[in-house]
Amino acid sequence: MPLPGTAQPDQAAVRAVLDAALAEGRSALTAPEAKRIADAYDIPVPAEALAECADEAVALADRIGFPVALKIVSPEIVHKTDAGGVRIGVATHAEVRAAFTSIVANARRYAPDATLLGVQVQQMVPAGTEVIVGMVTDPTFGKIVAFGLGGVLVEVLKDITFRLAPASEDDALSMLDSIRAAEVLRGVRGGAAVDRTTLSHLIVGVSQLAADFPEIAEIDLNPVFASADGVMAADVRILLGGPAPAPRRSYSRSEILTSMRRLMQPRSVAVIGASNEEGKIGNSVMKNLVAGGFPGDIHPVNRKADDILGRKAYKSVMDVPGEPDVAVFAIPAQFVAAALEEVGRKGIPNAVLIPSGFAETGEQAMQDELVAIAERYGVRLLGPNIYGYYSTWHDLCATFCTPYDVKGGVALTSQSGGIGMAILGFARTTRTGVSAIVGLGNKSDLDEDDLLTWFGEDPNTQCIAMHLEDLKDGRAFVDAARATVPKKPVVVLKAGRTSAGAKAAGSHTGALAGDDAVYEDILKQAGVIRAPGLSEMLEYARALPVLPTPKGDNVVIITGAGGSGVLLSDAIVDNGLSLMEIPDDLDAAFKAFIPPFGAAGNPIDITGGEPPSTYEATIRLGLEDPRIHSLVLGYWHTIVTPPMVFAELTARVVEEFRLRGIQKPVVASLAGDVEVEEACQYLFERGVVAYPYTTEKPVAALGAKYRWARAAGLLGGRT
């Protein structure tokens, strides 16, 4: 028999089974039907046959060979065990008769109106590790394949991982290593490892089946018995779904870049609802555009004014000269549709919809009307229900919020206005340079994949950080992320950690596919760095452009305090990093610089009372030795080496090595009095990611850099 998923599948056989079931209006296949589909895709299943009476069950058991398993077959009974419809290890003729009678009686009590087609007599499956392989249709990402520990404890342990379908062999192999019980598959306590090749091919085959037949909503192979000799699915459950959702309008990469270029680098902006009245959104937007130094044309539109902030006002956007690149809306929701019609007729390609009062308040129809108008004229919509946007390298501040003009390499986006303002405050407090800050709001049109496509190509953007509550099209986002991650890091804060969507699932796989579990694995598959919270998202965005890309896994801690060294070591492990095992010659070299009561090894404890020269010598050694790939510094505030002295010497040495072409990530944890805050800011501005009062943050930032480097293919090893 070929490996699962490697032979040419018999799609015609699958089509015949599905068409027959759908014609009868059924949403679940019977076990014999599921077996025919499994056979068509070379999914290993036991020998089996359907018995309609006890005598037939005995004859089939004789033919298959004892022991056997017996299972009820009914279109209406999906969870056979719950119905008392399963017996395993049946070893004699008498036991077969008794099991048949009992199963049928249990099924009739469980579902009196169910159609009972008979009892499936099945070959007992060889022993092995019980795993689950499945597929579920996710509302955001579509078909996703699942793998994890299986059997009766599948929904208790919930040790499962997900990937987009169809999955590649590399995806499948990564799934085997992604569950918590991965060591069990490799063999423990003298047990043999499972056949990873066969198991990965089974995952690929199931994912391909799902991709080939969209009407299949869920697939459960549970349990699959995996051993050194191969795999076999003891039970196959296949559920059918309803009609596919209406396709979302899509744009080519070229179309996205063209419209986004005019949005982010406009030559002319019209403000619909511009006002001279203090406190109005239209007044704030105008002030920000003018005071921010936007070099292009600014055209206020207001039916009742001739002049706004010293600029000629127009009664209608149709009267504005030329063809503006962007129309910013600052008018009440009920007037937006009519104004958008004019924007479309004018040929303006982008509308920035600040007003609220649409889908977020239940007015979905009003929002749908805007989308229809925009599609009719080819206008891209940003919003509605947003704070606007900032494009700092073009001196554009198209928002009613406070201005921000510190140019840099970080692009920040948020679905929430409140989070947008937190982003703004963080940027100002930390003096983080940004290339853009963009509000997305209701995402009636433009969303994260449009922004990723643009920022991926934008030379002013080095890192992209996104707060999101949902994705309209998860696959489009994954495609955009995969195109962007090899060039620059993408950090995502996904809000809403809920599994409510799993409650209505009809299979074990579906019940386990909670929203957050799926997002966690698919974002990782896309190479995105997922931040656990808002603070982490902002800190990663600030730190990642500062840190050089590591060239290897060896991390060394140099600390002036033993306690910090222990905590830093814990943080290294927590973030999936590797403490270097120091070879003897390097250990001796470090010992030459530290006092006898210090400690080499890793962490390297130089002790707290050492002068600046000890810090400098050990940091130099860490940068010089090519076997060391990253440094984590732990500083303890003393009068012997004050905070700014430590900061200045560290920054000087790091810069010296960079000028020599030696660039390694260096992060620092500074413990001490309030002076360490200034020292950390000084270090950050000079390429050393440093934080006061914490050992976790600097190492988390380093871990994020490593995760991106691996996802981008710049560093081998773990993912």
Side-chain angles (χ1 to χ4, degrees):
M1 178 181 290
L3 285 172
T6 58
Q8 186 66 30
D10 185 352
Q11 294 190 352
V14 177
R15 172 52 57 206
V17 172
L18 296 181
D19 286 350
L22 291 170
E24 296 173 9
R26 289 192 280 122
S27 61
L29 300 186
T30 64
E33 289 171 329
K35 184 182 187 308
R36 291 201 290 276
I37 288 180
D39 289 342
Y41 270 71
D42 289 316
I43 295 170
V45 292
E48 61 183 41
L50 182 67
E52 296 182 4
C53 65
D55 287 342
E56 194 173 356
V58 170
L60 289 173
D62 264 335
R63 192 176 75 209
I64 291 171
F66 287 102
V68 293
L70 274 67
K71 302 176 183 179
I72 193 69
V73 177
S74 169
E76 291 81 27
I77 299 177
V78 176
H79 296 288
K80 295 183 284 292
T81 301
D82 293 348
V86 177
R87 294 290 186 275
I88 61 173
V90 182
T92 67
H93 291 176
E95 288 179 6
V96 170
R97 290 182 185 280
F100 185 99
T101 303
S102 175
I103 285 173
V104 171
N106 289 343
R108 292 198 186 285
R109 283 194 296 272
Y110 180 79
D113 297 328
T115 301
L116 303 186
L117 301 179
V119 173
Q120 182 183 36
V121 181
Q122 186 182 76
Q123 169 194 2
M124 285 294 293
V125 179
T129 300
E130 294 186 38
V131 298
I132 181 172
V133 176
M135 184 283 299
V136 68
T137 305
D138 182 79
T140 298
F141 296 102
K143 306 296 183 186
I144 55 174
V145 64
F147 171 78
L149 283 189
V152 295
L153 294 178
V154 60
E155 290 177 26
V156 177
L157 299 177
K158 297 181 180 179
D159 190 4
I160 197 161
T161 187
F162 302 91
R163 300 291 185 275
L164 293 176
S168 68
E169 188 171 353
D170 285 343
D171 289 333
L173 288 170
S174 77
M175 296 176 83
L176 304 187
D177 294 326
S178 295
I179 62 172
R180 296 189 303 276
E183 286 298 320
V184 173
L185 304 180
R186 301 186 188 107
V188 294
R189 292 185 176 272
V194 304
D195 182 341
R196 290 172 61 87
T197 300
T198 303
L199 187 52
S200 67
H201 278 282
L202 177 61
I203 294 169
V204 170
V206 169
S207 77
Q208 190 60 56
L209 170 61
D212 290 344
F213 296 94
E215 56 267 65
I216 297 179
E218 297 180 27
I219 300 172
D220 248 6
L221 309 185
N222 182 46
V224 173
F225 287 86
S227 69
D229 298 322
V231 298
M232 184 170 286
D235 191 51
V236 180
R237 181 178 302 152
I238 297 177
L239 304 181
L240 307 181
R248 173 191 172 216
R249 179 171 178 177
S250 61
Y251 297 87
S252 69
R253 182 175 181 83
S254 175
E255 289 172 327
I256 292 171
L257 290 173
T258 297
S259 63
M260 288 296 302
R261 183 173 291 107
R262 294 187 70 177
L263 176 69
M264 303 305 295
Q265 301 174 353
R267 294 162 298 178
S268 174
V269 176
V271 181
I272 299 174
S275 174
N276 280 314
E277 187 177 338
E278 291 282 346
K280 289 212 166 187
I281 288 177
N283 178 260
S284 299
V285 172
M286 280 295 298
K287 280 183 176 178
N288 278 338
L289 284 168
V290 173
F294 176 62
D297 296 323
I298 304 171
H299 302 294
V301 176
N302 187 315
R303 297 186 185 278
K304 299 178 181 179
D306 297 320
D307 177 283
I308 294 178
L309 299 186
R311 295 171 186 258
K312 175 178 172 56
Y314 299 89
K315 305 300 181 187
S316 164
V317 74
M318 300 297 293
D319 302 327
V320 171
E323 185 182 289
D325 296 293
V326 180
V328 180
F329 282 63
I331 56 177
Q334 63 266 33
F335 303 121
V336 171
L340 186 60
E341 282 275 0
E342 293 187 341
V343 165
R345 294 203 303 272
K346 180 70 175 175
I348 300 174
N350 294 288
V352 177
L353 307 180
I354 291 177
S356 57
F358 293 94
E360 82 284 356
T361 62
E363 298 291 344
Q364 184 66 52
M366 287 179 63
Q367 185 165 304
D368 291 343
E369 182 184 9
L370 300 186
V371 173
I373 294 169
E375 289 188 352
R376 189 159 64 244
Y377 291 104
V379 181
R380 300 302 307 270
L381 304 179
L382 182 63
N385 185 33
I386 64 172
Y387 50 84
Y389 74 114
Y390 305 75
S391 184
T392 59
W393 288 96
H394 296 275
D395 297 317
L396 177 72
C397 183
T399 172
F400 64 94
C401 300
T402 54
Y404 191 70
D405 60 0
V406 180
K407 299 176 176 66
V410 180
L412 298 155
T413 77
S414 66
Q415 199 168 336
S416 156
I419 299 300
M421 290 306 93
I423 287 171
L424 190 65
F426 174 87
R428 195 182 306 282
T429 299
T430 58
R431 300 198 288 277
T432 298
V434 303
S435 61
I437 302 175
V438 182
L440 281 166
N442 296 3
K443 297 193 292 192
S444 65
D445 177 18
L446 284 167
D447 62 9
E448 288 85 2
D449 44 276
D450 295 290
L451 297 184
L452 268 183
T453 300
W454 167 253
F455 289 130
E457 299 296 329
D458 177 25
N460 294 315
T461 299
Q462 298 171 282
C463 178
I464 305 147
M466 297 180 149
H467 157 265
L468 59 92
E469 295 169 2
D470 61 1
L471 289 170
K472 289 192 304 180
D473 185 339
R475 292 207 169 227
F477 177 85
V478 169
D479 289 344
R482 283 173 164 168
T484 303
V485 165
K487 296 176 284 189
K488 54 193 74 172
V490 178
V491 181
V492 166
L493 170 60
K494 167 63 176 72
R497 297 174 181 270
T498 173
S499 59
K503 291 180 180 177
S507 68
H508 294 294
T509 304
L512 292 166
D515 296 347
D516 194 63
V518 172
Y519 267 97
E520 177 73 22
D521 286 343
I522 303 302
L523 291 178
K524 183 178 180 181
Q525 186 182 7
V528 165
I529 301 163
R530 187 174 181 188
L534 178 59
S535 174
E536 289 87 352
M537 182 193 84
L538 295 172
E539 293 295 358
Y540 293 171
R542 177 187 176 209
L544 289 173
V546 171
L547 291 171
T549 302
K551 295 180 172 61
D553 291 321
N554 289 336
V555 180
V556 168
I557 299 172
I558 300 172
T559 180
S564 292
V566 174
L567 292 175
L568 290 168
S569 298
D570 289 343
I572 292 285
V573 174
D574 291 343
N575 285 278
L577 301 174
S578 297
L579 274 174
M580 179 184 181
E581 292 187 13
I582 306 293
D584 292 342
D585 65 311
L586 187 55
D587 188 62
F590 275 115
K591 283 180 178 177
F593 296 118
I594 63 179
F597 49 87
N602 195 7
I604 296 152
D605 183 3
I606 68 171
T607 75
E610 287 301 292
S613 59
T614 305
Y615 277 104
E616 180 167 345
T618 50
I619 292 170
R620 281 186 178 278
L621 180 54
L623 293 172
E624 282 173 350
D625 195 295
R627 294 168 293 182
I628 297 174
H629 302 125
S630 301
L631 287 180
V632 177
L633 308 180
Y635 166 79
W636 177 31
H637 185 168
T638 67
I639 296 175
V640 178
T641 304
M644 281 305 298
V645 171
F646 168 79
E648 288 166 358
L649 76 85
T650 301
R652 172 172 48 80
V653 173
V654 168
E655 179 61 20
E656 176 189 321
F657 276 85
R658 284 181 181 165
L659 293 174
R660 289 166 49 186
I662 299 174
Q663 297 195 67
K664 300 179 183 181
V666 180
V667 302
S669 164
L670 277 67
D673 212 330
V674 292
E675 294 97 320
V676 298
E677 296 176 17
E678 180 187 0
C680 286
Q681 185 66 38
Y682 181 92
L683 284 166
F684 228 116
E685 291 169 355
R686 288 158 181 80
V688 176
V689 170
Y691 292 95
Y693 322 129
T694 173
T695 52
E696 294 81 16
K697 281 187 176 181
V699 180
L702 181 62
K705 188 73 177 189
Y706 267 89
R707 293 203 300 279
W708 169 72
R710 289 196 173 90
L714 302 175
L715 189 68
R718 302 177 309 278
T719 57

